[in-house]
Amino acid sequence: MGYAFSFDPPTDEGYASTPCAFNGEQMNYVRLIMIEAGAIAGDGFEQALRTPGLEPGEQTLRARRFQYNEGHVTAAEAAFVAGRLRAAAEAKVAAELLSFYDEHPGVDQVTAWVEQFAAFNEQAAARDGYYIC
């Protein structure tokens, strides 16, 4: 199963375009960093590192919103996600978190996925958000 993200709402034929997409493994790592960034929480997920400044707060989204291939993320929510992902990248959260894993795709690769999703969320913040498909 993969995850794709579209600026446009679905039509009867599906989604017109998906400018950002990840396979299941990639999204698992992006989701881990989103949790550690305090961008998403709840639904059985909790931060392991508790990096200062990245604690979940009022704007934190429910984790389940990024577990399924449906839903809409508003522009304000996208801006929040982007900011938290950028802060997590700056704090080198991926390197610290991945140090607990025996096998992983590499800090540089995971960081690249996180930066890609942060950039997509920044674009979505300037629009009407995005759809998870």
Side-chain angles (χ1 to χ4, degrees):
M1 180 170 102
Y3 292 81
F5 307 94
S6 176
F7 296 126
D8 302 313
T11 65
D12 291 338
E13 290 83 36
Y15 291 87
S17 69
T18 54
C20 183
F22 298 107
N23 65 33
E25 179 187 22
Q26 292 168 323
M27 191 63 198
N28 283 338
Y29 284 103
V30 171
R31 192 180 303 109
L32 281 173
I33 303 304
M34 291 174 72
I35 293 165
E36 292 303 324
I40 62 174
D43 304 312
F45 295 99
E46 188 175 322
Q47 290 178 319
L49 302 176
R50 293 182 170 78
T51 304
L54 297 179
E55 301 87 355
E58 289 183 22
Q59 292 182 293
T60 299
L61 306 175
R62 298 292 303 212
R64 72 173 146 236
R65 293 184 64 190
F66 293 90
Q67 289 180 284
Y68 305 103
N69 293 0
E70 60 183 44
H72 180 255
V73 175
T74 68
E77 291 169 336
F80 174 74
V81 169
R84 285 300 184 102
L85 290 177
R86 293 289 184 200
E90 187 175 309
K92 304 204 182 311
V93 166
E96 188 174 352
L97 184 64
L98 294 177
S99 71
F100 293 100
Y101 289 79
D102 291 331
E103 295 182 27
H104 56 78
V107 172
D108 291 342
Q109 186 62 66
V110 172
T111 300
W113 296 332
V114 168
E115 290 176 351
Q116 177 185 353
F117 199 50
F120 175 77
N121 274 272
E122 288 166 345
Q123 292 175 354
R127 302 173 72 128
D128 189 29
Y130 59 92
Y131 296 85
I132 302 168
C133 45

